[in-house]
């Protein structure tokens, strides 16, 4: 896992959180009251909340590294070999270490210096 400090925040404008409502009770109202106090999010709120995910340290398949690599060294892993977090790979025989892929990666997923 990559630390959230590696995120490229320029890709993530601030979006306010969708908070669940809380029912406040007086001491008298709380007695023998077993009703839910945390209110659920509406479907649209839940979807908006999921979209706030910045996928810290995980590749989320944006293709930036594939598109911007000047050497076409970054390539998509074939679907049969792809797993969560393994979507792109690097051909180190083509890579010149220019760092562009790491610079354009929103999630900080690309770590330099892993080749021979
Ligand atoms: S560091 Fe290597 S893989 Fe990354 S953009 Fe440059 S040439 Fe491509
Ligand atoms: S490694 Fe980064 S730039 Fe490349 S596809 Fe994944 S999230 Fe996008």
């Amino acid at each position: 896992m990559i630390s959230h400090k590696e995120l490229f925040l320029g890709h993530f404008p601030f979006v306010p959180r969708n908070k669940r409502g809380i029912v406040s009770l007086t001491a008298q109202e709380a007695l023998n009251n077993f009703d839910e106090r945390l209110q659920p999010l509406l479907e649209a709120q839940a979807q908006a909340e999921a979209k706030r995910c910045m996928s810290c340290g995980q590749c989320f398949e944006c293709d930036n590294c594939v598109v911007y690599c000047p050497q076409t060294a970054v390539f998509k892993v074939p679907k049969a070999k792809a797993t969560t977090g393994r979507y792109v790979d690097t051909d180190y025989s083509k890579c010149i270490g220019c760092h562009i892929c790491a610079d354009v990666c929103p999630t900080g997923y690309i770590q330099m210096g892993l080749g021979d």
Side-chain angles (χ1 to χ4, degrees):
M1 289 300 291
I2 312 292
S3 162
H4 67 280
K5 292 175 188 160
E6 302 298 325
L7 284 169
F8 184 177
L9 293 179
H11 284 277
F12 304 102
F14 176 76
V15 179
R17 185 177 165 193
N18 294 273
K19 293 183 182 167
R20 295 172 69 180
I22 299 175
V23 177
S24 299
L25 303 172
T26 63
Q28 201 58 38
E29 289 168 335
L31 281 175
N32 290 321
N33 184 338
F34 297 99
D35 290 343
E36 190 64 64
R37 291 189 56 215
L38 275 177
Q39 296 172 332
L41 295 177
L42 301 173
E43 184 176 342
Q45 289 174 310
Q47 288 173 352
E49 190 61 7
K51 286 179 184 169
R52 294 175 67 242
C53 174
M54 298 194 290
S55 189
C56 308
Q58 288 287 326
C59 170
F60 57 28
E61 308 178 15
C62 74
D63 280 346
N64 272 3
C65 54
V66 178
V67 169
Y68 286 101
C69 174
Q71 295 292 107
T72 61
V74 186
F75 60 93
K76 292 182 190 181
V77 175
K79 275 224 178 310
K81 292 185 178 173
T83 60
T84 303
R86 186 165 195 270
Y87 174 70
V88 291
D89 201 351
T90 306
D91 180 346
Y92 292 115
S93 67
K94 291 183 178 177
C95 175
I96 55 172
C98 68
H99 215 286
I100 290 174
C101 54
D103 289 343
V104 297
C105 176
T107 68
Y109 183 72
I110 296 177
Q111 190 178 351
M112 298 296 296
L114 295 179
D116 294 331

